[in-house]
Amino acid sequence: MKTPKRYLITAALPYANGLKHIGHLAGAYLPADIYVRYLKAQKRDVVFVCGSDEHGTAIPIQATKEGTTAQAIIDKYHPIIEQNFKDLGITFDIYHRTSDPLHHETASAFFKDLESRGDLETKTSEQYFDEQANTFLADRYIKGTCPNCGHNEAYGDQCEKCGKSLSPEELINPVSTLSGNAPIKKETTHWYLPLNRHEDFLRKWLLEEHAQDWRPAVVGQCKSWIEGGLQPRAVTRDLDWGVKVPVAGGDGKVLYVWFDAPIGYISATKQWAINNDKDWKPYWNDPETKLVHFIGKDNIVFHCIIFPVMLKLHGNILPENVPANEFMNLEGDKMSTSRGWSIEMDDYINKWIKKENGGESLADCLRFYLNSIAPESKDSEFTWKGFQDAVNGELVSIFANYINRTWVLMHKLTKGKVPPIHPDLLDDDDQALLLSVKETKEKVTTLLEQYKFRDAQFEVVNLARLGNQYMQKKEPWILAKNIETDPTAQAKIDNCMHGCLQLSANLAILINPFLPFTAKKMCHLMKVVPKMLEWENAGNFNLLKVGYSLRPPELLFRKIEDEEIATELAQLKANAEAKKTKMETTNNTTAEKGANENANEKGITPLKPEIVFDDFGKIDLRVGTIVEAKKVEKADKLLELLVDLGFEKRTILSGIAMHFYPEDIVGKQVTIVANLAPRKMRGIESKGMILMAEDENGKLYFVSPSEAIAAGSGIS
RNA sequence: GGCGAGGUAGCUCAGUUGGUUAGAGCACAGGAUUCAUAACCCUGAGGUCCCGGGUUCAAAUCCCGGUCUCGCUACCA
């Protein structure tokens, strides 16, 4: 494999609306950091960029909710997140932010460039607008008659009957699904990235060239998208928070957050270049640069389809790989900040990385465990017991213990100095040890180049295990007892300890990408400068000079006690319970992005336009009793209900199948919109609608009278 | 419902283009040892490779069907 001239490594931009948890860390930042530290040890030319993603609708909405400004929100979280990464040893070369003028300038120029060359499509008069809801309508909020099959319930993006992909303009007799009115066409310009023009390119690049060397899940998801039919994606929005659309007709519009965020990688690189007096251009333009995006699986489409198309159009290089990780669960459930079921980086740092708790070494403990269970090929699971086992059983017992016993023996048996070698007494075991080091270096190097970080780390620990075996076989503590009778005893001890010490130095080099704080501490023990950690030194057995005196032993880690684990588990359950009761007792909650919510688009629903009493009077609300309930076939979310309204029983469909078992809701009294126009779904006609309340996690609740009353009772 | 990725020892995972008795670490059991953070070292026990068919001299691996988990997507007046 030819060594690239330079590397540009990116880690997904964290959304600056809240704290980030260890799942985020394990998914993108830790593997990226390991890779970068390795490359730097190899003395490669590498820049590691990241930064806060600070645009999108969720941030101004959260600001409104908290009675503050969007700027205040991002100013609050940006520095915390940045510091959290530092505390965990994630060392970006630049941690930028998309609210920075340099980014606005860069994203603007990027957009202008694409626009000026006709790479974007504009649709000036083709946009539907709902006057009543006072908003432009996304494709799926418009329905009408399918031009292909004549189905009259087709949506603006696709007809579900014949499966044909559509655009809203193709629909016959379009209707807004928000108000039920026919939408008007409003004079506005929106810009689109026509992904459909690039299908051939994407097929060739992803499905042919990278079918083998990218992770199966990544290629699989891309394939799914391409096969599903690529659509033009809107790149602008009607919003005033973000990067202004820099061309005529762009007033009151900003770049869609997914368009501007990845450009943040470029602006971050520019800022890095300014700070370091370098040229940023080769990093994005020279084909000899290797670009790698580290992300979680929720970001695959943006980084493998949309952004590459943008880069190609803009004349930039394409990513060489996108090693997306799957998700990390926690103690048997999905991680979710809003549900309190997560471990925030900030919390871990405050609890564990305090000086009295072990300081920096506890950052490495977390890095070690997270990497050992990194979800590289499937979802994985963090457990506190697993954390304790990994730290106590491998990091402490195997790795740290090897270093410690080496240091103790060296001070007892060789006066705290690196002993000389006696070549005539070297044997096969000594040779084997050196060979193992060289082999491990090769293995670790190969694995790192293949983004197999958990395996790579395992190999390093295994080398320490070999060290323990070597020492066990040589038994220098026994030799020391025979020093009077065996004239070669001291020489044998010297050879053994020399090997053990050289191995320690090698372990420091090899563990450095994974556990940087530990490597630093080992350098301190060996009284060497960090330069020794350069990768090319691994495999050498003369890193520590004979006669050099080393520091007294110091423990690299402490053990994790059972009580600490019990405390964490209790805390986690308490947090989840607290969040739950909080959600049940307050209706004034903050908008928080759940782990599985799609980036940047969700938030509190804005208040709808004012209506007059007559409008309200048109709605006939009744109390109904559910008498039958069953699942609708071929629909995950729909239940078919038979509801007693007193004067009649009617069929009503409701999208609640994910929340209730049919048998559990029979007999429930619910609120019905009784005079709603019937609507067919999945071939069944629904005559009315059940009112549901939804909390911030999407959990549904029936709206019912507080006591049972007669079916059909009116509500006003 | 469509698409994608997974299902291998109690736990976390490897298993390269099909090729002997399916591997590793942890946990567990026994032994040995004391330099070391009750650490290390040696040995052992353990699996219907999700289920059912098929192709083949030979299947964890390839094909078909089913099932479970996760993700994307559709359905949610």
Side-chain angles (χ1 to χ4, degrees), chain A residues 586-598:
Chain A
T586 177
N587 54 9
N588 187 24
T589 49
T590 53
E592 214 159 3
K593 290 207 326 172
N596 55 351
E597 283 175 5
N598 214 343

Side-chain angles (χ1 to χ4, degrees), chain A residues 78-329:
Chain A
H78 172 79
I80 298 177
I81 297 171
E82 183 176 22
Q83 186 59 44
N84 285 169
F85 283 134
K86 263 188 200 142
D87 290 341
L88 291 165
I90 311 291
T91 48
F92 306 114
D93 290 304
I94 174 81
Y95 191 76
H96 205 232
R97 52 196 304 189
T98 60
S99 61
D100 192 281
L102 177 61
H103 173 68
H104 281 244
E105 195 183 292
T106 305
S108 280
F110 198 113
F111 178 91
K112 255 191 206 162
D113 179 63
L114 263 52
E115 200 268 347
S116 70
R117 283 188 286 128
D119 289 330
L120 299 178
E121 290 174 354
T122 56
K123 298 188 183 176
T124 303
S125 56
E126 302 294 305
Q127 277 294 301
Y128 283 116
F129 186 84
D130 187 323
E131 284 187 298
Q132 191 174 330
N134 193 32
T135 179
F136 288 98
L137 293 165
D139 295 355
R140 70 186 144 166
Y141 289 124
I142 304 166
K143 63 181 182 184
T145 303
C146 174
N148 190 43
C149 70
H151 179 54
N152 60 7
E153 294 277 322
Y155 283 83
D157 53 352
Q158 193 173 23
C159 170
E160 69 207 39
K161 188 160 183 187
C162 65
K164 186 175 166 54
S165 293
L166 301 170
S167 70
E169 289 70 30
E170 295 177 70
L171 289 176
I172 302 160
N173 297 328
V175 172
S176 163
T177 60
L178 295 179
S179 65
N181 297 337
I184 62 158
K185 285 182 179 174
K186 190 155 168 170
E187 274 294 303
T188 181
T189 304
H190 273 283
W191 284 262
Y192 288 76
L193 180 65
L195 293 175
N196 45 308
R197 287 189 202 167
H198 307 287
E199 183 177 331
D200 289 344
F201 153 69
L202 288 170
R203 271 185 193 281
K204 186 161 182 291
W205 181 60
L206 287 168
L207 306 184
E208 291 175 29
E209 292 173 25
H210 288 302
Q212 297 306 315
D213 62 335
W214 286 19
R215 292 184 179 169
V218 175
V219 177
Q221 173 137 23
C222 293
K223 185 163 182 245
S224 177
W225 256 68
I226 294 171
E227 301 291 342
L230 295 164
Q231 300 291 321
R233 297 272 300 202
V235 301
T236 55
R237 290 215 94 194
D238 293 290
L239 193 71
D240 62 356
W241 178 248
V243 178
K244 305 287 177 228
V245 173
V247 297
D251 292 346
K253 297 173 200 303
V254 296
L255 301 185
Y256 211 166
V257 63
W258 64 254
F259 184 86
D260 98 72
I263 298 173
Y265 297 139
I266 302 176
S267 354
T269 313
K270 285 185 179 175
Q271 186 64 52
W272 166 83
I274 292 168
N275 296 353
N276 293 278
D277 199 21
K278 294 271 174 63
D279 182 11
W280 67 273
K281 291 192 188 77
Y283 289 90
W284 284 95
N285 297 329
D286 183 351
E288 289 191 75
T289 299
K290 178 167 171 175
L291 171 63
V292 182
H293 297 304
F294 285 86
I295 57 170
K297 69 173 163 184
D298 50 340
N299 258 327
I300 289 174
V301 168
F302 291 111
H303 287 80
C304 300
I305 294 194
I306 299 173
F307 192 45
V309 166
M310 290 163 60
L311 288 172
K312 176 175 156 269
L313 292 171
H314 193 242
N316 298 116
I317 55 168
L318 299 173
E320 172 97 8
N321 206 327
V322 184
N325 271 351
E326 307 285 306
F327 288 154
M328 182 175 281
N329 295 324

Side-chain angles (χ1 to χ4, degrees), chain A residues 31 34-35 213 215-216 294 323 325 371 374 376-377 443-459 514:
Chain A
I34 291 169
Y35 191 58
D213 62 335
R215 292 184 179 169
F294 285 86
N325 271 351
N371 186 47
E376 288 175 359
S377 61
K443 276 189 209 163
V444 172
T445 304
T446 305
L447 290 167
L448 287 171
E449 297 278 2
Q450 295 171 339
Y451 313 104
K452 293 182 178 173
F453 304 114
R454 57 193 294 168
D455 288 350
Q457 179 176 274
F458 174 83
E459 289 297 338
F514 310 95

